Amino acid sequence: MLARRWFLLCKTNPILMRTLTSTTSGSKPLPDMHEGHLPIHVNNVRNKLRSIVGASTNWSDHMQAMNERKALHTLLAKNQADLPPRKMRDSYIEVILPLGSQPEIREKYLNVNNTVRFGRILEDLDSLGVLICYTHTKHEAVGRSPLSIVTALVDKIGLWKKVIHPDSDIKFTGNVSWVGRTSMEVKMHVLQLQNDVYCPLLDATFVMVARDPENKRPAFVNPLIPEGPEEEKIFKEGELNKMRRTDFSEASLLKMAPTAEERTVIHDIFLNTLDPRTVSFRSRVLPPNSVWMEDAKLKGLEICHPQERNIFNRIFGGFLMRKAYELGWATACSYGSSRPYVIAVDDIMFQRPVEIGSLLFFSSQVCYTEENFIQVRVHSEVYNSDTRQHHTTNVFHFTFMSESQIPQIVPKTYGESMLYLDGKRHFDSAVKETSA
């Protein structure tokens, strides 16, 4: 029932008519938002980013290019008040992925089911989000930007279609929607051409941070001035998103005990797994149509080669998201024994950069299920061979929907119970709040 309600709401939810989407999607744009903006080919986004920061296209020259950026420290603002304010329209960008009009680029985006690989869309969103922020902070008199802008957080991605077709053009649009002192929220929308009209595929909210040329310290960014009630509403939403993230972090199960309701949920699961033939807390049995959480895992390893570097010669965040998503998808697929569809991504925190040459470990876990929904958590960490230490780099949360009935996931230990509750929180936030 929940799955059917969700897709019905996708067709009628007013969020699809946000004012920052393309005029061809049927929504009402902000005044002059699109004037003077020619779409950028998706292959040119990374080239533009390299030009903005002065990054080298050759790995052998990267050290020299990074050393040259050190001299840009003098261009940094001493205070945010010294920077000219911007409007939302100033950072607005459209990017075209011409899958229909240029079939030769399809193979990179094609999966075995003849649909578009969602992991590739994540990569394109990450690059676009950074370019939008550089557009917001650009100074015409400066050749190269002194800022190092990186992705700090993927706040949420909500999908409105099960399938992205590989033979129709896709349009990405986005702009800065909220600004702090050194951080920027970016709202992006993805639409696909259907019957000569661009129809919404997904909405995404990213948070980017600006740092100095050596990517060591925070740097100020241009303030944002909303124009009119619609932009003020969007800006206010950015403030509320920041407070929501703070509240969610403070209530983390790594810091606080579960609520009374959550404790009851876990205790009921525990009682349901006790062996009725014995009077023992240690004797556990798996209920029918269920799977122990410890049996719903997959792991992966990546050697981080220079090919996957970003403009600052660390591993590209979009690459990390793609690899985590694909492992999470495989986990949901093997768990549900059918093809799953991603419906939401949320709360991806980039805790530390991944250096070239690192050994990157991924661990994927089904942590919560409800009806035919599967909540998957993917943890990534780097291994330092010199110190023999592991350090967490990211935690990813994906919500999938299976077309067939799935078994229920059952935690056995206290640690698994906390993963179960954390997964339930993310599921409620990603699906139920959107539907409401």
Side-chain angles (χ1 to χ4, degrees), residues 96-113:
I96 292 295
L97 172 56
L99 296 177
S101 52
Q102 295 182 13
E104 62 272 14
I105 69 173
R106 286 181 196 165
E107 188 166 331
K108 175 183 175 182
Y109 289 85
L110 195 65
N111 64 30
V112 70
N113 296 305

Side-chain angles (χ1 to χ4, degrees), residues 51 80 111 169 186 314 319:
S51 175
Q80 189 178 36
N111 64 30
D169 288 0
V186 177
R314 290 182 166 123
F319 170 78

Side-chain angles (χ1 to χ4, degrees), residues 8-18 160 433-436:
L8 178 62
L9 284 164
C10 288
K11 297 178 181 178
T12 59
N13 196 309
I15 198 171
L16 297 180
M17 307 302 289
R18 285 181 179 170
W160 310 114
E433 289 184 10
T434 299
S435 298

